[in-house]
Amino acid sequence: MTTTTTTTVKTTTVVVRGTSGGGRRGGAVRATRAREAVSVGDQHRRAAVEGTFGEKVRAGVVGLAACAALGMATPAMTRAGELEIMQTPRLEDGYVVDDAGVLSRSSATAINKSLKELEDQTGYRLNVVTVRKLVFETDPFAFGDKVLEKWYPTVEEGNNKGNLLLVKSTKDGALVGGPKFLKAVGDDLIDSVLTSNYGVNLEQEKYNEALVSSVKRVAAVLEGKADPGPPEKFEAAKGSNFKTRSETNEKRDVFANVVIGFLVILFVVPMLQYAGYVVGDPDFDE
């Protein structure tokens, strides 16, 4: 009996010690696992934060790229009208290329009818071209000539053809044509149309009136009729900001002379100064 009791006590002691030591080890293990869990949790949170940050960075890069693409696309969109006109084939059925979208349907119909009668009766052909903006060739007369040469490459083809151009952004334009066409129209009528019919109406953004009234005057003269004249509200005394072809050429000549004078000052004057210095320096040859 006594032996059994002793054994029980020892067993109990062993059990108690085992429980105490195991508890400490278990606590240590649990603490370690807890720390590991916290560490893993921190890693997951950091990964989540880094992932979110990375996504934001990527989104920002994509946004910048999109903005850059839009910015690069804007000039192309601006130039599209000018390029489209140059790529437009020669008109066969109609007489109007309204790239700027300024003509109403009734105005376009009236212009087509008037110019069809003109060509049938006289053989002269006038095309009406509108463009939003000129980017590559900013001179309306030069651009009008380019379009005319594109549609009628030879002198024989374009001899009795003309283009009436309107530029919406700058509110100006040009009337160009082949040698026979320009001789029949005359410089005085060209200047009057551009300074009065265009000058008055375009200032008020009356694009339809500007084109319809200009076509009437040109068609009347080519048909041998009396010129209807400029708009009644046009007052020559007020003048106009519209540049005629002669004024444009004069300004080009002035600009060319200014550039030449600047080059002379830039290169010739220093050379003359150096030559004077050499001549006046007795020790230069030594």
Side-chain angles (χ1 to χ4, degrees):
M1 193 62 133
T2 303
T3 303
T4 302
T5 304
T6 303
T7 303
T8 303
V9 172
K10 289 180 179 180
T11 302
T12 303
T13 303
V14 171
V15 172
V16 172
R17 288 177 181 175
T19 303
S20 176
R24 286 193 296 270
R25 288 194 296 274
V29 171
R30 286 193 295 273
T32 301
R33 289 179 178 174
R35 286 194 295 272
E36 291 177 353
V38 172
S39 177
V40 172
D42 291 340
Q43 292 177 0
H44 284 301
R45 283 193 294 272
R46 285 197 297 271
V49 172
E50 291 174 356
T52 303
F53 179 74
E55 291 176 358
K56 290 182 178 180
V57 171
R58 285 193 294 273
V61 172
V62 172
L64 290 174
C67 291
L70 289 175
M72 294 174 64
T74 301
M77 293 172 63
T78 303
R79 296 191 297 263
E82 189 176 352
L83 294 177
E84 287 173 359
I85 291 175
M86 292 300 298
Q87 294 170 359
T88 300
R90 177 196 304 183
L91 299 178
E92 299 295 344
D93 297 331
Y95 298 82
V96 177
V97 179
D98 187 18
D99 177 77
V102 297
L103 282 173
S104 65
R105 180 175 298 182
S106 59
S107 296
T109 300
I111 290 174
N112 275 311
K113 181 180 179 181
S114 176
L115 295 180
K116 179 68 168 60
E117 293 175 354
L118 171 67
E119 187 173 19
D120 291 342
Q121 295 175 11
T122 66
Y124 289 106
R125 180 184 178 92
L126 176 63
N127 302 302
V128 175
V129 181
T130 72
V131 61
R132 296 185 295 274
K133 182 178 182 180
L134 294 180
V135 178
F136 297 110
E137 179 55 75
T138 57
D139 180 8
F141 286 97
F143 181 71
D145 284 332
K146 281 186 177 181
V147 177
L148 191 70
E149 293 171 2
K150 171 71 167 52
W151 288 345
Y152 313 103
T154 64
V155 176
E156 292 74 15
E157 288 181 298
N159 194 28
N160 59 346
K161 309 295 193 305
N163 282 342
L164 179 62
L165 175 69
L166 185 149
V167 184
K168 182 179 180 181
S169 63
T170 53
K171 297 180 180 179
D172 60 359
L175 178 57
V176 300
K180 184 178 180 181
F181 179 91
L182 293 178
K183 183 178 180 180
V185 173
D187 292 338
D188 292 340
L189 178 62
I190 294 176
D191 291 342
S192 178
V193 165
L194 297 180
T195 55
S196 59
N197 297 76
Y198 266 32
V200 172
N201 291 300
L202 294 186
E203 287 178 359
Q204 303 175 21
E205 298 186 354
K206 294 182 177 180
Y207 304 106
N208 288 269
E209 179 63 26
L211 290 171
V212 171
S213 63
S214 298
V215 167
K216 285 182 179 179
R217 295 187 66 185
V218 175
V221 171
L222 291 176
E223 290 172 356
K225 301 176 182 178
D227 177 12
E232 295 179 359
K233 56 188 175 183
F234 176 71
E235 298 179 14
K238 290 184 178 180
S240 173
N241 293 328
F242 195 92
K243 299 181 182 64
T244 64
R245 187 163 200 165
S246 59
E247 291 173 342
T248 302
N249 293 334
E250 289 176 1
K251 289 192 174 183
R252 281 182 177 175
D253 295 339
V254 172
F255 178 75
N257 293 333
V258 171
V259 172
I260 294 174
F262 177 76
L263 292 175
V264 170
I265 295 174
L266 186 62
F267 294 102
V268 177
V269 172
M271 293 175 64
L272 293 176
Q273 291 177 340
Y274 178 74
Y277 171 77
V278 171
V279 173
D281 187 0
D283 299 329
F284 179 77
D285 293 334
E286 299 178 359

